[in-house]
Amino acid sequence: VRTAASGGGVVQIGGSLKLSCTGSGVILKESGAVWYRRGSGDECELITKMPSVGRTYYADAVKGRFLATVDNVISRAYLSMRSLRPEDTAIYFCAPDDSISRAEACGYWGQGTQVTVSS
């Protein structure tokens, strides 16, 4: 199973960005989707966890600003980010679940995408 996040870039403070996640060997609409990020502190942070059924979890740092969705037709996950802050600067990764420990999750499933929030 592999995933690939894309859609990152450079955005100004307060701006918006939408990331995409595709999976091979997994159907994201069935597994759900999890988003992680690794910032300057090098810690892998779980920021959203969207199960196939049930409520989506959002970390306090992104609650109210980020929205995780899945397109069930094409089995693609999205992370819509708004009101971006410098502390959101990180490499963002997606995963089909949170079965891997957080220390290893960033990069375990596949490539991430860099988001840089600048002034």
Side-chain angles (χ1 to χ4, degrees):
V1 175
R2 301 289 291 173
T3 60
S6 62
V10 179
V11 62
Q12 291 188 326
I13 294 172
S16 301
L17 210 56
K18 186 174 184 178
L19 307 183
S20 297
C21 172
T22 57
S24 61
V26 64
I27 300 174
L28 293 175
K29 67 177 181 179
E30 296 180 353
S31 71
V34 181
W35 288 90
Y36 296 90
R37 68 184 181 186
R38 176 181 285 139
S40 59
D42 207 35
E43 180 179 335
C44 187
E45 178 186 12
L46 188 156
I47 54 174
T48 77
K49 177 182 175 182
M50 182 172 53
S52 56
V53 177
R55 182 172 294 184
T56 298
Y57 161 83
Y58 293 94
D60 288 343
V62 306
K63 195 175 296 182
R65 301 187 298 120
F66 288 15
L67 176 68
T69 56
V70 169
D71 184 323
N72 291 327
V73 175
I74 60 175
S75 191
R76 180 170 292 188
Y78 299 98
L79 184 65
S80 298
M81 309 183 294
R82 63 180 179 86
S83 301
L84 285 164
R85 306 166 180 169
E87 54 264 39
D88 295 319
T89 294
I91 302 174
Y92 286 72
F93 302 86
C94 58
D97 54 54
D98 61 346
S99 60
I100 303 300
S101 70
R102 293 185 189 185
E104 300 176 294
C106 288
Y108 176 87
W109 300 99
Q111 69 181 49
T113 187
Q114 175 73 48
V115 173
T116 302
V117 183
S118 69
S119 56

